[in-house]
Amino acid sequence: MQKLNDLSRSLTSLKPNGTLIAVIEMSLSSWLVAGIVPGVERQPSKKLEVDENALLKLLNRWREEAQKKGYGIERIAVAFEAGRDGFWLARWLRARGIEAHVIHASSVAVSREHRRAKTDRLDTELLKRSFLGWLRGERDHWMPAP
C-alpha cells in the first residue's frame, strides 16, 4: 500500500515531451541553471546573477524554444539543493505556477570512486540525472528537504 507522504519518488507521471526540467546550482554571487528542454538537442545551461526575475525569464525563454519546435510545455519542474536561497525561492516559483523542489543536499549520491574537481557544471549534471530519475517515479534518487 502506498504511503500518503511518500516523497522518495514523484507521484505525478512524467511526460517528457511536455515537461521542461531545470536544476539550479546556487552560490552567494550567482546561480548556474541547467535544463532539459523538449525539442532542443543541446542541454542548455546559463549562469545568472542571483535574481529570481532573471530565472523566470530564462525558464520562459526555454519554454518558447520548445514551443517553436512544436512541443507544448504543460509543466515546468525545477529542483535545487537546500541552502541560503532554497526555501524562499521555492515559494516564489510555486506562486508563479512553477513546480519547485528543494533537495536535501546530503541525499544526492556522489561517486567516490575517482577524485574529481568540484565544479558547478558537474554538480548540475548530477542534479539533473537525480531529478530526472525522481520525476520518472524511480525511488531513492534523492529526498526533498523538510
Side-chain angles (χ1 to χ4, degrees):
M1 186 162 129
Q2 184 174 330
K3 297 181 212 172
L4 288 177
N5 292 335
D6 183 11
L7 299 178
S8 67
R9 64 189 179 98
S10 175
L11 300 177
T12 305
S13 63
L14 176 64
K15 297 177 184 171
N17 291 335
T19 304
L20 189 155
I21 299 168
V23 297
I24 308 169
E25 180 65 31
M26 300 175 158
S27 71
L28 293 175
S29 60
S30 64
W31 293 341
L32 179 61
V33 186
I36 300 172
V37 182
V40 176
E41 284 295 317
R42 64 179 170 74
Q43 292 195 0
S45 67
K46 177 78 172 163
K47 191 169 195 170
L48 301 174
E49 296 296 319
V50 177
D51 179 3
E52 65 275 13
N53 291 308
L55 174 62
L56 189 59
K57 284 181 187 178
L58 177 64
L59 294 173
N60 285 326
R61 190 180 88 212
W62 286 350
R63 178 197 314 233
E64 289 169 7
E65 283 184 41
Q67 289 172 335
K68 285 179 186 174
K69 299 284 186 174
Y71 293 84
I73 301 299
E74 303 163 8
R75 177 184 184 194
I76 298 177
V78 177
F80 42 87
E81 291 180 347
R84 186 180 75 84
D85 293 325
F87 295 101
W88 76 263
L89 182 60
R91 288 189 298 272
W92 190 87
L93 288 168
R94 289 175 187 147
R96 283 144 186 85
I98 296 173
E99 182 181 327
H101 299 277
V102 181
I103 302 169
H104 194 286
S106 65
S107 73
V108 177
V110 176
S111 173
R112 300 287 182 209
E113 293 175 11
H114 305 287
R115 296 185 75 117
R116 68 171 178 91
K118 181 187 179 311
T119 66
D120 288 346
R121 186 188 59 77
L122 291 173
D123 287 346
T124 58
E125 291 302 315
L126 181 61
L127 276 175
K128 274 196 299 190
R129 284 193 301 273
S130 295
F131 189 41
L132 189 56
W134 184 85
L135 286 169
R136 286 187 195 126
E138 299 168 12
R139 291 189 179 280
D140 301 324
H141 276 274
W142 54 264
M143 284 299 295

